[in-house]
Amino acid sequence: MSILAAGPATAFDGEPAEPSCFRDLNLDQIVAAATAPKAEYNLSPIFRAPLLDIDGVLYRQAIFRDLERPEVRATLDAFAGGMRALHANRRRIEAIRYERERQAWFLDGVLLYDAAVRGFAAAFAATELASPGLIAFRDYLAAYAGADRFTRLAGAAAGLKRELAAVSYCVYLIGGHVHVGPLTDEPDFTEEILGVFAKFKEADARDHRVKLSDAGEMNHIEAGILDLVAALHADLFGRLDAFVAANAAFIDATIAAFDREAQFYLAWLDHIAPLEAHGLAFCYPEVTQGKAIGAEGTFDLALAAKLVKDGRTVVANDFQLSGAERILVVTGPNQGGKTTFARLFGQLHYLAALGCPVPGVAARLHLPDRVFTHFERPEVAGSERSKLEDDLMRMRDILAAATADSLVILNEIFTSTTLADAVWLSREVMTRLAELDLLGVWVTFIDELAAVSPATVSMVGGVDPDDDDSRTFRLTRRPADGLAYAMALAGRHGLTYRRLRERIP
């Protein structure tokens, strides 16, 4: 079982390739920031595998909702702390050279595991849950913790530790040899030795003590002595050998998987918590296979993290598509938030497909089979293809692979050719996108694209009416009129109405 998928357990291991949309949408930054505090869990593979079924998304959303409750979160944090101690124990064992010392740490590891599992099972049993995923795991955990095999494991480890602690022996140094024998009624020289060194306690005596370093592990002499002790107590150490060999893989695979998978949820909640504390809204989107979508009060998550860190304001936007509408055509002045809007559109759908809470007050989003992006790239020196040819080849690949369930986000393509050619090429591409009946966003300066098909909807970046050079970063749904671009050019050359009035008496 898995708390990442409702059906059969799915592997989220290895190093899957980063989805091609990651860098264009700044998802690489978002995932890196969310997973960095929990690097030891290798969570990136989970973030690189969006779900393709709505039931899977709802399954994860329910778990997220449970984990938002402080008492559930506290229970998982306590278990994670116990498992971290166990993992540290396992790493220590791997670094130890001597087998008998490894065995001692192994027994400690078994007892750490026992404490973590028993404590978690007891706390989880008393925790109210609503998500099917966590309820199913709680039932599994209760059955596992109560099984005879688990009980015998901890009991045997504790018994061996007690027996080992009771072992006594004598070490004899004869010439250059070390001998070990059973402890007999040897004379106690403690008082005599203390008497010899009593003079060093005098106030005016020089302190001859030297601090000895402790490497934290056995040296070869201690290891050799312990081997001799093991030979002296062959039965006990034989049972220890058998116990270690029989229980080398004592950590249950389902519990180990839960330990890691739970961190996917906690990592995301921890990542968005500072933004929520700053007043930014997150919601659980309604995820649909339909094409009627929208969001209210949403924002680019990567940009918001930077703005909040710098103490700046985050501007939220809304969008909606209904009926035959499929593609948002975004126009407006440079630096007006058009590319940011395109990114947030892609981020929302990708994160929703992971089952995560997404930026916004409310959202209804399509579950895509894949997210395709085509953002402008600088021409590469020495490349055999021109920038226009590269744009065309990339666009051809997208059109060949996209389906009606795909999401396509295009940002300023065909800018290296003439306006007439750019208009013709863009119309051709838009026609094919509309024929595919997919959802998308197209950022462009070609206003005509907004009227190519009933599937297109125009959104325009705003300019402050009292300051032609000031961007509002708010996009509104209205016909593209080219004025925003014209105003941007006029502002660049100091030819806006306000600036002309300032210069003309």
Side-chain angles (χ1 to χ4, degrees):
M1 64 170 295
S2 167
I3 59 168
L4 292 178
T10 302
F12 292 92
D13 298 312
E15 289 299 329
E18 185 177 82
S20 59
C21 66
F22 256 42
R23 293 187 182 277
D24 285 341
L25 300 179
N26 287 343
L27 285 165
D28 57 334
Q29 300 176 25
I30 295 170
V31 170
T35 59
K38 298 180 181 293
E40 69 271 26
Y41 293 100
N42 188 29
L43 299 176
S44 293
I46 302 175
F47 281 96
R48 292 178 179 180
L51 301 171
L52 299 176
D53 64 295
I54 293 176
D55 288 343
V57 171
L58 296 176
Y59 182 82
R60 288 190 185 180
Q61 286 184 352
I63 292 175
F64 268 115
R65 286 190 171 96
D66 265 347
L67 294 179
E68 285 185 324
R69 294 165 44 213
E71 64 272 22
V72 181
R73 175 64 189 265
T75 301
L76 259 71
D77 283 343
F79 172 66
M83 293 299 285
R84 278 195 296 272
L86 172 61
H87 296 320
N89 168 276
R90 305 294 283 178
R91 289 192 297 271
R92 181 67 181 270
I93 290 173
E94 291 175 359
I96 293 173
R97 292 176 292 172
Y98 303 109
E99 178 61 24
R100 293 302 180 190
E101 185 178 10
R102 284 198 295 269
Q103 290 176 336
W105 282 90
F106 181 87
L107 293 178
D108 288 341
V110 170
L111 296 178
L112 285 171
Y113 176 65
D114 176 73
V117 170
R118 287 189 184 282
F120 188 31
F124 226 27
T127 302
E128 182 180 349
L129 298 171
S131 62
L134 290 183
I135 290 173
F137 179 77
R138 181 177 62 186
D139 294 342
Y140 175 89
L141 182 66
Y144 176 82
D148 289 342
R149 185 182 185 283
F150 178 70
T151 303
R152 288 197 302 269
L153 175 73
L160 285 169
K161 278 188 69 72
R162 285 194 298 270
E163 288 188 69
L164 290 168
V167 168
S168 58
Y169 56 91
C170 281
V171 177
Y172 302 93
L173 303 179
I174 304 174
H177 300 278
V178 176
H179 298 268
V180 172
L183 181 64
T184 57
D185 293 332
E186 304 288 341
D188 187 349
F189 296 103
T190 302
E191 294 300 325
E192 185 176 344
I193 293 173
L194 289 176
V196 171
F197 287 94
K199 60 183 178 182
F200 294 110
K201 292 184 178 180
E202 298 176 6
D204 58 347
R206 180 182 174 186
D207 190 346
H208 293 274
R209 291 176 296 178
V210 176
K211 183 175 179 58
L212 300 177
S213 62
D214 183 2
E217 61 182 73
M218 285 183 173
N219 56 44
H220 66 286
I221 297 175
E222 293 170 325
I225 291 174
L226 185 53
D227 285 338
L228 295 174
V229 173
L232 190 65
H233 299 270
D235 175 68
L236 172 58
F237 280 86
R239 286 187 283 115
L240 174 61
D241 291 339
F243 178 82
V244 172
N247 298 285
F250 66 84
I251 301 175
D252 179 73
T254 298
I255 291 176
F258 176 88
D259 177 40
R260 175 178 176 241
E261 292 171 359
Q263 297 305 314
F264 159 74
Y265 296 92
L266 301 182
W268 188 251
L269 292 176
D270 288 346
H271 181 63
I272 66 176
L275 300 178
E276 289 182 305
H278 196 73
L280 297 177
F282 286 81
C283 67
Y284 291 96
E286 178 186 352
V287 179
T288 175
Q289 297 287 8
K291 303 296 176 71
I293 63 170
E296 177 186 350
T298 188
F299 50 90
D300 178 335
L301 187 54
L303 177 61
K306 295 177 182 177
L307 294 176
V308 167
K309 184 178 180 180
D310 295 339
R312 299 163 62 191
T313 302
V314 177
V315 176
N317 273 288
D318 309 330
F319 67 83
Q320 183 176 354
L321 290 172
S322 60
E325 298 169 347
R326 296 292 182 266
I327 300 174
L328 297 169
V329 179
V330 183
T331 59
N334 283 328
Q335 307 300 319
K338 302 190 304 295
T339 299
T340 296
F341 179 84
R343 286 194 175 109
L344 74 84
F345 188 89
Q347 290 173 15
L348 282 179
H349 285 86
Y350 188 92
L351 295 171
L354 289 174
C356 296
V358 302
V361 175
R364 176 184 171 87
L365 302 171
H366 178 72
L367 183 63
D369 58 5
R370 189 172 170 186
V371 179
F372 295 93
T373 59
H374 187 324
F375 280 48
E376 187 178 24
R377 294 176 184 169
E379 196 163 1
V380 179
S383 173
E384 296 181 359
R385 297 197 310 201
S386 68
K387 188 173 184 302
L388 176 60
E389 185 180 5
D390 183 66
D391 281 347
L392 290 170
M393 296 292 283
R394 292 168 59 198
M395 198 65 242
R396 181 200 63 181
D397 293 342
I398 290 175
L399 291 173
T403 72
D405 287 323
S406 300
L407 205 71
V408 173
I409 302 170
L410 309 178
N411 186 58
E412 302 293 359
I413 64 174
F414 305 141
T415 58
S416 61
T417 188
T418 65
L419 178 60
D421 286 344
V423 170
W424 185 84
L425 289 169
S426 297
R427 282 179 172 273
E428 289 296 309
V429 171
M430 183 64 82
T431 299
R432 285 163 173 73
L433 292 175
E435 290 173 351
L436 284 169
D437 195 41
L438 50 70
L439 293 169
V441 172
W442 191 332
V443 176
T444 180
F445 280 125
I446 302 174
D447 296 345
E448 298 96 310
L449 282 184
V452 167
S453 161
T456 57
V457 173
S458 174
M459 294 192 73
V460 182
V463 176
D464 189 335
D466 298 324
D467 185 354
D468 302 326
D469 295 332
S470 178
R471 312 290 190 258
T472 64
F473 304 108
R474 289 278 300 176
L475 279 78
T476 57
R477 182 172 168 141
R478 60 184 175 86
D481 53 20
L483 295 179
Y485 185 37
M487 290 301 296
L489 292 174
R492 185 184 305 167
H493 297 287
L495 298 176
T496 62
Y497 177 79
R498 180 177 60 81
R499 290 194 179 181
L500 287 173
R501 288 297 302 265
E502 291 174 351
R503 291 157 59 186
I504 298 175

